[in-house]
mmCIF file of all heavy atoms in Angstrom:
data_model
loop_
_atom_site.group_PDB
_atom_site.id
_atom_site.type_symbol
_atom_site.label_atom_id
_atom_site.label_comp_id
_atom_site.label_asym_id
_atom_site.label_seq_id
_atom_site.Cartn_x
_atom_site.Cartn_y
_atom_site.Cartn_z
ATOM 1 N N ILE X 1 0.872 -1.190 -0.009
ATOM 2 C CA ILE X 1 0.025 -0.008 -0.022
ATOM 3 C C ILE X 1 0.744 1.247 -0.013
ATOM 4 O O ILE X 1 0.691 2.123 -0.654
ATOM 5 C CB ILE X 1 -0.937 0.071 1.164
ATOM 6 C CG1 ILE X 1 -2.013 -1.049 1.060
ATOM 7 C CG2 ILE X 1 -1.629 1.319 1.422
ATOM 8 C CD1 ILE X 1 -2.892 -1.371 2.268
ATOM 9 N N ARG X 2 1.885 1.341 0.841
ATOM 10 C CA ARG X 2 2.728 2.453 0.887
ATOM 11 C C ARG X 2 3.568 2.606 -0.383
ATOM 12 O O ARG X 2 3.662 3.732 -0.828
ATOM 13 C CB ARG X 2 3.724 2.275 2.073
ATOM 14 C CG ARG X 2 3.038 2.478 3.370
ATOM 15 C CD ARG X 2 4.153 2.374 4.500
ATOM 16 N NE ARG X 2 3.452 2.576 5.768
ATOM 17 C CZ ARG X 2 3.908 2.159 6.979
ATOM 18 N NH1 ARG X 2 4.963 1.457 6.995
ATOM 19 N NH2 ARG X 2 3.331 2.511 8.029
ATOM 20 N N LEU X 3 4.007 1.453 -1.050
ATOM 21 C CA LEU X 3 4.740 1.627 -2.319
ATOM 22 C C LEU X 3 3.739 2.194 -3.344
ATOM 23 O O LEU X 3 4.268 3.033 -4.158
ATOM 24 C CB LEU X 3 5.163 0.263 -2.727
ATOM 25 C CG LEU X 3 5.912 0.125 -3.939
ATOM 26 C CD1 LEU X 3 7.220 0.991 -3.976
ATOM 27 C CD2 LEU X 3 6.208 -1.270 -4.331
ATOM 28 N N SER X 4 2.558 1.663 -3.456
ATOM 29 C CA SER X 4 1.667 2.200 -4.453
ATOM 30 C C SER X 4 1.363 3.699 -4.318
ATOM 31 O O SER X 4 1.237 4.480 -5.201
ATOM 32 C CB SER X 4 0.397 1.380 -4.508
ATOM 33 O OG SER X 4 -0.446 1.510 -3.453
ATOM 34 N N LEU X 5 1.219 4.146 -2.995
ATOM 35 C CA LEU X 5 1.003 5.518 -2.689
ATOM 36 C C LEU X 5 2.224 6.375 -3.112
ATOM 37 O O LEU X 5 2.092 7.409 -3.692
ATOM 38 C CB LEU X 5 0.663 5.677 -1.239
ATOM 39 C CG LEU X 5 -0.771 5.335 -0.856
ATOM 40 C CD1 LEU X 5 -0.864 5.458 0.591
ATOM 41 C CD2 LEU X 5 -1.686 6.149 -1.450
ATOM 42 N N ALA X 6 3.388 5.864 -2.802
ATOM 43 C CA ALA X 6 4.596 6.527 -3.168
ATOM 44 C C ALA X 6 4.738 6.695 -4.692
ATOM 45 O O ALA X 6 5.174 7.769 -5.241
ATOM 46 C CB ALA X 6 5.896 5.931 -2.538
ATOM 47 N N GLN X 7 4.504 5.640 -5.435
ATOM 48 C CA GLN X 7 4.579 5.631 -6.837
ATOM 49 C C GLN X 7 3.635 6.640 -7.444
ATOM 50 O O GLN X 7 3.904 7.347 -8.433
ATOM 51 C CB GLN X 7 4.371 4.243 -7.429
ATOM 52 C CG GLN X 7 5.574 3.278 -7.124
ATOM 53 C CD GLN X 7 5.224 1.885 -7.517
ATOM 54 O OE1 GLN X 7 4.017 1.401 -7.555
ATOM 55 N NE2 GLN X 7 6.304 1.142 -7.818
ATOM 56 N N ALA X 8 2.365 6.616 -6.932
ATOM 57 C CA ALA X 8 1.384 7.608 -7.522
ATOM 58 C C ALA X 8 1.759 8.915 -7.184
ATOM 59 O O ALA X 8 1.512 9.795 -7.954
ATOM 60 C CB ALA X 8 0.053 7.221 -6.846
ATOM 61 N N PHE X 9 2.324 9.276 -6.054
ATOM 62 C CA PHE X 9 2.731 10.627 -5.744
ATOM 63 C C PHE X 9 3.906 10.996 -6.630
ATOM 64 O O PHE X 9 3.936 12.178 -7.038
ATOM 65 C CB PHE X 9 3.193 10.654 -4.148
ATOM 66 C CG PHE X 9 3.423 12.039 -3.691
ATOM 67 C CD1 PHE X 9 2.360 12.996 -3.606
ATOM 68 C CD2 PHE X 9 4.687 12.435 -3.402
ATOM 69 C CE1 PHE X 9 2.734 14.348 -3.132
ATOM 70 C CE2 PHE X 9 5.008 13.778 -3.050
ATOM 71 C CZ PHE X 9 3.901 14.691 -2.880
ATOM 72 N N ILE X 10 4.839 10.209 -6.757
ATOM 73 C CA ILE X 10 6.064 10.562 -7.574
ATOM 74 C C ILE X 10 5.508 10.779 -9.066
ATOM 75 O O ILE X 10 5.950 11.740 -9.698
ATOM 76 C CB ILE X 10 7.087 9.405 -7.670
ATOM 77 C CG1 ILE X 10 7.658 9.458 -6.222
ATOM 78 C CG2 ILE X 10 8.085 9.675 -8.746
ATOM 79 C CD1 ILE X 10 8.374 10.604 -5.802
ATOM 80 N N ASP X 11 4.588 9.957 -9.544
ATOM 81 C CA ASP X 11 4.020 10.242 -10.909
ATOM 82 C C ASP X 11 3.361 11.475 -11.048
ATOM 83 O O ASP X 11 3.484 12.223 -12.039
ATOM 84 C CB ASP X 11 3.066 8.993 -11.173
ATOM 85 C CG ASP X 11 2.617 9.120 -12.576
ATOM 86 O OD1 ASP X 11 3.352 9.264 -13.451
ATOM 87 O OD2 ASP X 11 1.304 8.767 -12.755
ATOM 88 N N MET X 12 2.655 11.908 -9.920
ATOM 89 C CA MET X 12 1.877 13.227 -9.957
ATOM 90 C C MET X 12 2.924 14.317 -9.905
ATOM 91 O O MET X 12 2.857 15.259 -10.718
ATOM 92 C CB MET X 12 1.066 13.388 -8.776
ATOM 93 C CG MET X 12 0.273 14.669 -8.682
ATOM 94 S SD MET X 12 -0.423 14.995 -7.151
ATOM 95 C CE MET X 12 0.999 15.423 -6.216
ATOM 96 N N LEU X 13 3.943 14.205 -9.205
ATOM 97 C CA LEU X 13 5.038 15.080 -9.106
ATOM 98 C C LEU X 13 5.852 15.392 -10.511
ATOM 99 O O LEU X 13 6.226 16.468 -10.851
ATOM 100 C CB LEU X 13 5.993 14.945 -8.041
ATOM 101 C CG LEU X 13 5.490 15.243 -6.553
ATOM 102 C CD1 LEU X 13 6.425 14.885 -5.619
ATOM 103 C CD2 LEU X 13 5.046 16.601 -6.491
ATOM 104 N N LEU X 14 6.075 14.170 -11.174
ATOM 105 C CA LEU X 14 6.668 14.310 -12.333
ATOM 106 C C LEU X 14 5.915 15.063 -13.433
ATOM 107 O O LEU X 14 6.460 15.797 -14.208
ATOM 108 C CB LEU X 14 7.116 12.928 -12.986
ATOM 109 C CG LEU X 14 8.247 12.109 -12.195
ATOM 110 C CD1 LEU X 14 8.313 10.733 -12.614
ATOM 111 C CD2 LEU X 14 9.555 12.941 -12.393
ATOM 112 N N GLU X 15 4.561 14.701 -13.420
ATOM 113 C CA GLU X 15 3.765 15.443 -14.334
ATOM 114 C C GLU X 15 3.697 16.968 -14.059
ATOM 115 O O GLU X 15 3.697 17.817 -14.978
ATOM 116 C CB GLU X 15 2.340 14.798 -14.314
ATOM 117 C CG GLU X 15 1.410 15.454 -15.412
ATOM 118 C CD GLU X 15 0.608 14.312 -15.998
ATOM 119 O OE1 GLU X 15 0.758 13.246 -15.707
ATOM 120 O OE2 GLU X 15 -0.334 14.719 -16.715
ATOM 121 N N ALA X 16 3.709 17.303 -12.682
ATOM 122 C CA ALA X 16 3.672 18.723 -12.223
ATOM 123 C C ALA X 16 4.928 19.379 -12.759
ATOM 124 O O ALA X 16 4.883 20.476 -13.104
ATOM 125 C CB ALA X 16 3.440 18.607 -10.811
ATOM 126 N N TYR X 17 6.060 18.734 -12.511
ATOM 127 C CA TYR X 17 7.345 19.326 -12.877
ATOM 128 C C TYR X 17 7.419 19.549 -14.369
ATOM 129 O O TYR X 17 7.865 20.656 -14.823
ATOM 130 C CB TYR X 17 8.535 18.475 -12.357
ATOM 131 C CG TYR X 17 9.899 18.980 -12.928
ATOM 132 C CD1 TYR X 17 10.377 20.123 -12.263
ATOM 133 C CD2 TYR X 17 10.602 18.336 -13.816
ATOM 134 C CE1 TYR X 17 11.654 20.592 -12.627
ATOM 135 C CE2 TYR X 17 11.811 18.837 -14.209
ATOM 136 C CZ TYR X 17 12.270 19.922 -13.656
ATOM 137 O OH TYR X 17 13.552 20.441 -14.089
ATOM 138 N N ASP X 18 6.939 18.614 -15.252
ATOM 139 C CA ASP X 18 6.936 18.694 -16.538
ATOM 140 C C ASP X 18 6.110 19.896 -17.105
ATOM 141 O O ASP X 18 6.505 20.606 -17.931
ATOM 142 C CB ASP X 18 6.492 17.423 -17.231
ATOM 143 C CG ASP X 18 6.529 17.381 -18.772
ATOM 144 O OD1 ASP X 18 7.558 17.674 -19.324
ATOM 145 O OD2 ASP X 18 5.472 17.276 -19.419
ATOM 146 N N ALA X 19 4.891 20.009 -16.420
ATOM 147 C CA ALA X 19 3.971 21.038 -16.753
ATOM 148 C C ALA X 19 4.555 22.456 -16.341
ATOM 149 O O ALA X 19 4.588 23.363 -17.128
ATOM 150 C CB ALA X 19 2.707 20.986 -16.007
ATOM 151 N N LEU X 20 5.367 22.529 -15.288
ATOM 152 C CA LEU X 20 5.996 23.675 -14.874
ATOM 153 C C LEU X 20 7.097 24.075 -15.774
ATOM 154 O O LEU X 20 7.263 25.210 -16.291
ATOM 155 C CB LEU X 20 6.508 23.703 -13.463
ATOM 156 C CG LEU X 20 7.132 24.883 -12.797
ATOM 157 C CD1 LEU X 20 6.240 26.020 -12.818
ATOM 158 C CD2 LEU X 20 7.588 24.593 -11.436
ATOM 159 N N LEU X 21 7.963 23.038 -16.132
ATOM 160 C CA LEU X 21 9.153 23.326 -16.967
ATOM 161 C C LEU X 21 8.851 23.699 -18.363
ATOM 162 O O LEU X 21 9.354 24.691 -18.931
ATOM 163 C CB LEU X 21 10.054 22.087 -16.959
ATOM 164 C CG LEU X 21 11.322 22.106 -17.633
ATOM 165 C CD1 LEU X 21 12.272 23.106 -17.035
ATOM 166 C CD2 LEU X 21 11.989 20.620 -17.662
ATOM 167 N N HIS X 22 7.788 22.944 -19.066
ATOM 168 C CA HIS X 22 7.548 23.244 -20.390
ATOM 169 C C HIS X 22 6.427 24.215 -20.664
ATOM 170 O O HIS X 22 6.349 24.765 -21.754
ATOM 171 C CB HIS X 22 7.323 21.909 -21.062
ATOM 172 C CG HIS X 22 8.445 20.975 -21.021
ATOM 173 N ND1 HIS X 22 9.651 21.232 -21.813
ATOM 174 C CD2 HIS X 22 8.724 19.868 -20.384
ATOM 175 C CE1 HIS X 22 10.538 20.238 -21.583
ATOM 176 N NE2 HIS X 22 9.938 19.397 -20.609
ATOM 177 N N HIS X 23 5.526 24.349 -19.690
ATOM 178 C CA HIS X 23 4.317 25.240 -19.968
ATOM 179 C C HIS X 23 4.039 26.289 -19.002
ATOM 180 O O HIS X 23 3.192 27.030 -19.157
ATOM 181 C CB HIS X 23 3.048 24.219 -20.013
ATOM 182 C CG HIS X 23 3.177 23.091 -21.028
ATOM 183 N ND1 HIS X 23 3.048 23.345 -22.332
ATOM 184 C CD2 HIS X 23 3.487 21.768 -20.918
ATOM 185 C CE1 HIS X 23 3.326 22.171 -23.002
ATOM 186 N NE2 HIS X 23 3.492 21.258 -22.069
ATOM 187 N N GLY X 24 4.879 26.339 -17.919
ATOM 188 C CA GLY X 24 4.696 27.326 -16.904
ATOM 189 C C GLY X 24 3.355 27.276 -16.047
ATOM 190 O O GLY X 24 3.008 28.109 -15.552
ATOM 191 N N VAL X 25 2.914 26.053 -15.860
ATOM 192 C CA VAL X 25 1.819 25.766 -15.071
ATOM 193 C C VAL X 25 2.236 25.303 -13.657
ATOM 194 O O VAL X 25 2.936 24.229 -13.477
ATOM 195 C CB VAL X 25 0.960 24.499 -15.715
ATOM 196 C CG1 VAL X 25 -0.257 24.197 -14.819
ATOM 197 C CG2 VAL X 25 0.407 25.024 -17.051
ATOM 198 N N ASN X 26 1.901 25.989 -12.665
ATOM 199 C CA ASN X 26 2.191 25.773 -11.314
ATOM 200 C C ASN X 26 1.052 24.984 -10.567
ATOM 201 O O ASN X 26 -0.055 25.536 -10.524
ATOM 202 C CB ASN X 26 2.616 26.977 -10.462
ATOM 203 C CG ASN X 26 2.989 26.700 -9.079
ATOM 204 O OD1 ASN X 26 3.078 25.562 -8.724
ATOM 205 N ND2 ASN X 26 3.357 27.701 -8.327
ATOM 206 N N TYR X 27 1.287 23.678 -10.304
ATOM 207 C CA TYR X 27 0.195 22.871 -9.744
ATOM 208 C C TYR X 27 -0.398 23.360 -8.338
ATOM 209 O O TYR X 27 -1.420 23.096 -8.001
ATOM 210 C CB TYR X 27 0.492 21.446 -9.632
ATOM 211 C CG TYR X 27 1.393 21.055 -8.567
ATOM 212 C CD1 TYR X 27 1.040 20.454 -7.489
ATOM 213 C CD2 TYR X 27 2.806 21.203 -8.720
ATOM 214 C CE1 TYR X 27 1.763 20.032 -6.411
ATOM 215 C CE2 TYR X 27 3.627 20.763 -7.679
ATOM 216 C CZ TYR X 27 3.201 20.129 -6.540
ATOM 217 O OH TYR X 27 4.045 19.846 -5.513
ATOM 218 N N HIS X 28 0.450 24.143 -7.651
ATOM 219 C CA HIS X 28 0.051 24.630 -6.329
ATOM 220 C C HIS X 28 -1.073 25.692 -6.502
ATOM 221 O O HIS X 28 -1.872 25.975 -5.598
ATOM 222 C CB HIS X 28 1.127 25.307 -5.610
ATOM 223 C CG HIS X 28 2.159 24.382 -5.053
ATOM 224 N ND1 HIS X 28 2.008 23.724 -3.964
ATOM 225 C CD2 HIS X 28 3.417 24.006 -5.625
ATOM 226 C CE1 HIS X 28 3.069 22.912 -3.738
ATOM 227 N NE2 HIS X 28 3.872 23.107 -4.702
ATOM 228 N N THR X 29 -1.330 26.292 -7.694
ATOM 229 C CA THR X 29 -2.386 27.218 -7.850
ATOM 230 C C THR X 29 -3.689 26.598 -8.338
ATOM 231 O O THR X 29 -4.638 27.342 -8.543
ATOM 232 C CB THR X 29 -1.909 28.240 -8.841
ATOM 233 O OG1 THR X 29 -1.679 27.766 -10.070
ATOM 234 C CG2 THR X 29 -0.584 29.078 -8.255
ATOM 235 N N LEU X 30 -3.643 25.301 -8.749
ATOM 236 C CA LEU X 30 -4.788 24.655 -9.305
ATOM 237 C C LEU X 30 -5.913 24.321 -8.229
ATOM 238 O O LEU X 30 -5.554 23.912 -7.020
ATOM 239 C CB LEU X 30 -4.473 23.424 -10.000
ATOM 240 C CG LEU X 30 -3.379 23.607 -11.192
ATOM 241 C CD1 LEU X 30 -2.927 22.329 -11.730
ATOM 242 C CD2 LEU X 30 -4.006 24.409 -12.347
ATOM 243 N N PRO X 31 -7.163 24.490 -8.684
ATOM 244 C CA PRO X 31 -8.252 24.176 -7.651
ATOM 245 C C PRO X 31 -8.185 22.693 -7.101
ATOM 246 O O PRO X 31 -8.577 22.622 -5.905
ATOM 247 C CB PRO X 31 -9.557 24.403 -8.482
ATOM 248 C CG PRO X 31 -9.106 25.147 -9.676
ATOM 249 C CD PRO X 31 -7.624 24.884 -9.895
ATOM 250 N N ALA X 32 -7.880 21.750 -7.874
ATOM 251 C CA ALA X 32 -7.831 20.346 -7.411
ATOM 252 C C ALA X 32 -6.788 20.263 -6.284
ATOM 253 O O ALA X 32 -7.050 19.463 -5.286
ATOM 254 C CB ALA X 32 -7.592 19.435 -8.486
ATOM 255 N N TYR X 33 -5.636 20.854 -6.335
ATOM 256 C CA TYR X 33 -4.642 20.881 -5.361
ATOM 257 C C TYR X 33 -4.988 21.523 -4.106
ATOM 258 O O TYR X 33 -4.784 21.060 -3.033
ATOM 259 C CB TYR X 33 -3.253 21.423 -5.849
ATOM 260 C CG TYR X 33 -2.134 21.351 -4.909
ATOM 261 C CD1 TYR X 33 -1.448 20.053 -4.654
ATOM 262 C CD2 TYR X 33 -1.880 22.411 -3.994
ATOM 263 C CE1 TYR X 33 -0.519 20.015 -3.676
ATOM 264 C CE2 TYR X 33 -0.805 22.238 -3.135
ATOM 265 C CZ TYR X 33 -0.154 21.188 -2.994
ATOM 266 O OH TYR X 33 0.773 21.042 -2.058
ATOM 267 N N LYS X 34 -5.706 22.689 -4.284
ATOM 268 C CA LYS X 34 -6.147 23.443 -3.105
ATOM 269 C C LYS X 34 -7.291 22.845 -2.269
ATOM 270 O O LYS X 34 -7.533 23.066 -1.172
ATOM 271 C CB LYS X 34 -6.568 24.887 -3.527
ATOM 272 C CG LYS X 34 -5.480 25.681 -3.979
ATOM 273 C CD LYS X 34 -5.868 27.110 -4.451
ATOM 274 C CE LYS X 34 -4.747 27.913 -4.822
ATOM 275 N NZ LYS X 34 -5.193 29.220 -5.114
ATOM 276 N N ASP X 35 -8.039 21.901 -2.936
ATOM 277 C CA ASP X 35 -9.175 21.170 -2.281
ATOM 278 C C ASP X 35 -8.624 20.072 -1.458
ATOM 279 O O ASP X 35 -8.453 18.936 -1.987
ATOM 280 C CB ASP X 35 -10.141 20.738 -3.380
ATOM 281 C CG ASP X 35 -11.457 20.082 -2.697
ATOM 282 O OD1 ASP X 35 -11.649 20.383 -1.580
ATOM 283 O OD2 ASP X 35 -12.019 19.256 -3.406
ATOM 284 N N GLN X 36 -8.376 20.340 -0.215
ATOM 285 C CA GLN X 36 -7.809 19.319 0.743
ATOM 286 C C GLN X 36 -8.859 18.572 1.494
ATOM 287 O O GLN X 36 -8.476 17.723 2.382
ATOM 288 C CB GLN X 36 -6.856 20.104 1.676
ATOM 289 C CG GLN X 36 -5.806 20.873 0.952
ATOM 290 C CD GLN X 36 -4.668 19.983 0.433
ATOM 291 O OE1 GLN X 36 -4.285 19.070 1.156
ATOM 292 N NE2 GLN X 36 -4.060 20.267 -0.652
ATOM 293 N N GLU X 37 -10.110 18.708 1.201
ATOM 294 C CA GLU X 37 -11.228 18.168 1.996
ATOM 295 C C GLU X 37 -11.132 16.627 2.047
ATOM 296 O O GLU X 37 -11.185 15.973 3.080
ATOM 297 C CB GLU X 37 -12.564 18.561 1.585
ATOM 298 C CG GLU X 37 -13.710 17.996 2.383
ATOM 299 C CD GLU X 37 -15.076 18.624 1.890
ATOM 300 O OE1 GLU X 37 -15.118 19.644 1.436
ATOM 301 O OE2 GLU X 37 -15.967 17.760 1.956
ATOM 302 N N LEU X 38 -10.770 16.062 0.790
ATOM 303 C CA LEU X 38 -10.695 14.602 0.725
ATOM 304 C C LEU X 38 -9.539 14.067 1.473
ATOM 305 O O LEU X 38 -9.629 12.999 2.191
ATOM 306 C CB LEU X 38 -10.541 14.287 -0.809
ATOM 307 C CG LEU X 38 -10.657 12.771 -1.183
ATOM 308 C CD1 LEU X 38 -11.999 12.180 -0.802
ATOM 309 C CD2 LEU X 38 -10.359 12.625 -2.637
ATOM 310 N N LEU X 39 -8.399 14.757 1.543
ATOM 311 C CA LEU X 39 -7.257 14.326 2.168
ATOM 312 C C LEU X 39 -7.430 14.471 3.674
ATOM 313 O O LEU X 39 -7.035 13.671 4.447
ATOM 314 C CB LEU X 39 -5.926 15.174 1.776
ATOM 315 C CG LEU X 39 -5.467 15.059 0.469
ATOM 316 C CD1 LEU X 39 -4.383 16.020 0.240
ATOM 317 C CD2 LEU X 39 -5.138 13.578 0.088
#
């Protein structure tokens, strides 16, 4: 369970880094990231 969570988190961060590097999209400003209710 911990391994799958870590892999999913790294996958999300890699996509976020790619978006920031190539498109200037910061995931910290997105509504889905700010919605912490589920977490």
Side-chain angles (χ1 to χ4, degrees):
I1 290 170
R2 287 183 177 156
L3 176 63
S4 69
L5 286 172
Q7 288 171 334
F9 187 69
I10 294 298
D11 187 43
M12 182 192 76
L13 287 180
L14 286 173
E15 188 139 352
Y17 177 71
D18 184 58
L20 181 62
L21 183 65
H22 297 292
H23 304 284
V25 174
N26 184 0
Y27 75 99
H28 288 281
T29 61
L30 299 175
Y33 181 79
K34 290 181 179 180
D35 182 21
Q36 302 281 322
E37 184 178 325
L38 188 63
L39 294 180

